[in-house]
Amino acid sequence: MNAEIQFGFTPIQLLLSVLLLVIAVASLRLFRNRLLYRLFFVAIVLTGILFVTVPELPYYIANRLGVGRGVDLVFYLLFTGFLLLIAVLYRRLLQHDVIITQIIRQNAIKNHNSPNTYSKAKEHAKRL
């Protein structure tokens, strides 16, 4: 029996692979100064391209891990990744809140003119 190995892309595999490559290039440019982020995104994109080109691979890995289908495994990984992303973004938001508060305080102290500033503002508000 002469088995021929055919390597070719279906249209959807080609489309998804190109889109993933565009995302990889964009992430490399976006995280120009962050090596860890760049490596992380490249690893995700390469995994995505591998899963797109060899659709049986997620199914095989899922069965080894005790998950019923490859799609379920990918969903679980994406869900976990999104939760991690939300936690990281929330932490960053809190850090930015602290930085903004410090900047506003420094600006208020720097621009403080006199102890009568409150009364001057109150008088100005009455005139309006």
Side-chain angles (χ1 to χ4, degrees):
M1 185 189 298
N2 189 3
E4 255 185 67
I5 297 176
Q6 294 180 355
F7 185 75
F9 286 105
T10 63
I12 190 66
Q13 287 175 322
L14 184 62
L15 176 67
L16 290 173
S17 296
V18 168
L19 288 174
L20 286 169
L21 286 174
V22 168
I23 290 170
V25 170
S27 70
L28 289 176
R29 296 188 76 206
L30 180 66
F31 300 117
R32 204 171 320 166
N33 300 325
R34 308 261 181 168
L35 179 63
L36 186 62
Y37 291 169
R38 290 173 81 176
L39 291 175
F40 181 71
F41 273 93
V42 167
I44 288 175
V45 167
L46 290 177
T47 303
I49 290 172
L50 184 64
F51 282 1
V52 165
T53 56
V54 185
E56 299 84 20
L57 186 61
Y59 177 75
Y60 175 78
I61 295 171
N63 282 335
R64 290 288 185 189
L65 295 175
V67 179
R69 300 179 304 170
V71 173
D72 293 339
L73 174 67
V74 171
F75 174 75
Y76 298 152
L77 292 174
L78 286 175
F79 184 74
T80 305
F82 283 131
L83 288 178
L84 177 65
L85 178 68
I86 289 170
V88 168
L89 290 176
Y90 182 69
R91 182 175 161 261
R92 276 210 141 156
L93 181 66
L94 292 178
Q95 287 175 340
H96 286 188
D97 283 348
V98 169
I99 291 170
I100 290 170
T101 302
Q102 289 173 348
I103 291 171
I104 290 172
R105 282 183 185 156
Q106 290 171 355
N107 193 22
I109 290 170
K110 183 175 132 184
N111 293 330
H112 178 68
N113 293 328
S114 68
N116 296 330
T117 305
Y118 175 75
S119 59
K120 288 178 185 178
K122 194 173 176 184
E123 288 173 20
H124 180 69
K126 284 181 183 177
R127 283 184 261 152
L128 296 177

